[in-house]
Amino acid sequence: MRIIRVRHKEQAFYAAIVSPESVRPLNREDGQPEEIPLAELELLPLVRPSKIVCVGLNYLDHAHELGLAVPEEPILFLKPPSSVIGAGDTIVLPASCEQVDYEAELALVMGRTARFVAEENAAQHIFGYTCANDVTARDLQRKDGQWTRAKGFDTFCPVGPWIETDPGDLHDLALRTTVGGQVRQEGNTGSMIFPPHLLVSYISNIMTLLPGDVILTGTPAGIGPLKPGDEVSVEIDRVGFLLNPVIGQALDEPTAMQ
Ligand code: MG
C-alpha cells in the first residue's frame, strides 16, 4: 500500500493511494467519504518527525570509497526536522558550501513508539518505507569534524514520494541515484552492514523512537556533487522514485552565517 499525507476540508490525515486520481483515508473519521479525488486534496509533507536518525558508513563499498574503517557498531547522527522537503521540492545549495553531495538512502518511517525493541519485533514498529536523499555539504563535513552543519541545512532531507508499507524483502532492494537522467549511484540494501531491523533495535535502546520519526539507513558507493540546475533522483525498487530539482542560493538571500 502506498500512503501519503493530505489535507481535506481543514483536516490533515494519512490516506492510501487507490488509483491515479483518488485516495482512501486511513482511520476514516465520521462523515468522511470512502474515497476522495486527489484534485480536492492538498498534499502535505510526508512526515513530521521529532527527529531524523541517520546511519553513517552502513555500506561496505561506501566506507571503502571514503577510505574509512568498517564500523563495529552503527555510527549515528541526526538531521533536524526542518531539513525535510517532499518530492518535487527544490534542494537549495547554500552559498557557504563548496561541495554538496547526494546520498541515496532507504528511509524507515516509524509507526509506533519504540523503546528497547528487540530486532525480531522491529517490524511491528515500522509504518513503512520511502526514498530519501541525505544531502551533505562534504567540505563542511570534513572541516567541522562533526556533521551537524554539513547535514543540517534546510532542504537537505528530501523524502518521498509516498510511504510504501510492503516493499517485500528489505534485504534485496536495489537503489540508485541519477543526476540529469544519468546513473551515478547503484547499490542494494543486501550490502548493508547493519540491516534495517537491527538499526531500529539499536537506536531504540538509545532513544525513544516516536511515530513519524525517520531512520535513514546509509548510502552505497558512488556519492558525488550536485550543481545548480541539476535534477537528482533517488529510486528504490518496490519503494518509489524521488525527484528533486537543485538550485543555488540566490545572492540576495541571507546566508546561513547571518
Ligand atoms: Mg548518509
Side-chain angles (χ1 to χ4, degrees), residues 197-219:
H197 291 174
L198 184 150
L199 292 174
V200 170
S201 175
Y202 183 83
I203 295 165
S204 79
N205 274 274
I206 300 163
M207 63 187 88
T208 303
L209 289 164
L210 299 176
D213 281 355
V214 175
I215 298 173
L216 300 194
T217 56
T219 199

Side-chain angles (χ1 to χ4, degrees), residues 73-247:
E73 288 186 285
I75 297 172
L76 303 184
F77 62 93
L78 297 170
K79 283 172 100 82
S82 48
S83 63
V84 171
I85 58 173
D89 292 342
T90 302
I91 298 168
V92 180
L93 306 179
S96 55
C97 305
E98 283 173 11
Q99 184 184 339
V100 176
D101 287 356
Y102 53 80
E103 292 188 2
E105 310 210 0
L106 175 69
L108 319 181
V109 180
M110 301 306 296
R112 290 167 58 189
T113 300
R115 181 70 172 142
F116 301 121
V117 171
E119 187 176 349
E120 57 267 30
N121 297 327
Q124 304 164 24
H125 297 268
I126 299 172
F127 184 42
Y129 305 84
T130 189
C131 307
N133 193 339
D134 175 19
V135 180
T136 303
R138 197 67 64 195
D139 56 324
L140 299 184
Q141 186 182 29
R142 290 194 197 101
K143 183 178 175 187
D144 289 356
Q146 51 78 27
W147 304 354
T148 303
R149 182 164 66 138
K151 300 281 191 175
F153 284 95
D154 285 3
T155 78
F156 270 25
C157 192
V159 171
W162 48 62
I163 299 168
E164 170 60 63
T165 57
D166 185 17
D169 184 359
L170 291 181
H171 308 107
D172 185 21
L173 294 170
L175 66 167
R176 69 196 63 80
T177 304
T178 69
V179 177
Q182 289 193 322
V183 176
R184 298 286 177 84
Q185 203 176 16
E186 268 194 304
N188 189 292
T189 56
S191 306
M192 283 186 191
I193 300 166
F194 305 106
H197 291 174
L198 184 150
L199 292 174
V200 170
S201 175
Y202 183 83
I203 295 165
S204 79
N205 274 274
I206 300 163
M207 63 187 88
T208 303
L209 289 164
L210 299 176
D213 281 355
V214 175
I215 298 173
L216 300 194
T217 56
T219 199
I223 55 167
L226 296 167
K227 60 181 192 313
D230 281 344
E231 279 204 321
V232 59
S233 76
V234 173
E235 185 177 10
I236 306 178
D237 288 356
R238 306 195 302 274
V239 174
F241 179 85
L242 170 68
L243 184 71
N244 296 95
V246 178
I247 62 167

Side-chain angles (χ1 to χ4, degrees), residues 5 28 88:
R5 212 170 131 260
R28 197 153 58 92

